[in-house]
Amino acid sequence: YEYTIKKAPLTVTARSYTRYYGKENPEFEVSYKGFVNGEDEKALSKEPIASTKATISSPAGEYAIEVSGAEAKNYEMSYVNGILTILPILVGDFNGDNKVDNTDLQLLVDYIMDKKPLGIDKNTADVNKDDKVNAVDVTKVIDIIKKNADAND
């Protein structure tokens, strides 16, 4: 008798992510389906690499997160790409909840008061793009909040 031992199929899937324009890409993770005999990723002789062509300055849109390069003695690899969705920045949306409201206004005031709130830096705080962060930017955010409130009435 002649026996041929086939490698077990292992699917490596890149997880999908969403981020805002101008932010760094997250650290991409993968998941596995098909390990046998109680094995896990320790059975890999080479870890997969998940990457995208999208950079910090890539425009809003969807980009493939490609995964490749995994190796294991007893597994035949197949790959499933993930998707990186880059959302546009909404001017004045400092907390990333896709709306401009009093929470964002407070973050801007905190930034001006040097309280260093998360999610806001000089580039995003300079709402009117005059290279200064001051009361003019606060007024601009108030105007955006008012305009949104009027639009919803």
Side-chain angles (χ1 to χ4, degrees):
Y1 293 100
E2 191 174 307
Y3 293 98
T4 302
I5 299 175
K6 290 186 176 184
K7 292 183 176 188
L10 181 66
T11 303
V12 184
T13 302
R15 295 199 171 131
S16 293
Y17 295 86
T18 299
R19 70 160 173 85
Y20 283 90
Y21 170 82
K23 300 289 183 185
E24 293 285 340
N25 287 336
E27 194 169 309
F28 300 127
E29 295 181 1
V30 298
S31 60
Y32 303 94
K33 186 173 183 175
F35 281 116
V36 294
N37 301 327
E39 290 185 316
D40 58 19
E41 49 273 16
K42 291 182 194 95
L44 300 174
S45 57
K46 190 172 178 190
E47 295 276 327
I49 297 168
S51 63
T52 184
K53 289 179 172 61
T55 66
I56 195 167
S57 58
S58 294
E62 290 188 346
Y63 299 83
I65 300 171
E66 297 175 356
V67 62
S68 63
E71 293 178 10
K73 189 170 88 176
N74 297 324
Y75 293 94
E76 185 69 41
M77 303 298 163
S78 64
Y79 301 102
V80 178
N81 291 343
I83 295 172
L84 172 65
T85 303
I86 300 177
L87 301 173
I89 293 178
L90 187 60
V91 173
D93 177 22
F94 304 117
N95 65 354
D97 65 358
N98 224 19
K99 63 183 186 250
V100 180
D101 57 19
N102 289 335
T103 305
D104 299 296
L105 182 60
Q106 185 63 55
L107 286 169
L108 179 57
V109 171
D110 287 351
Y111 179 83
I112 291 170
M113 302 297 290
D114 205 29
K115 293 183 181 176
K116 298 178 178 43
L118 287 175
I120 185 169
D121 59 21
K122 183 181 186 302
N123 187 43
T124 55
D126 183 15
V127 177
N128 69 340
K129 301 300 178 206
D130 66 353
D131 231 17
K132 294 179 264 198
V133 179
N134 54 28
V136 176
D137 298 293
V138 172
T139 303
K140 180 97 169 136
V141 170
I142 292 169
D143 289 346
I144 293 168
I145 293 169
K146 283 182 182 174
K147 192 169 95 178
N148 291 342
D150 291 345
N152 291 329
D153 285 345

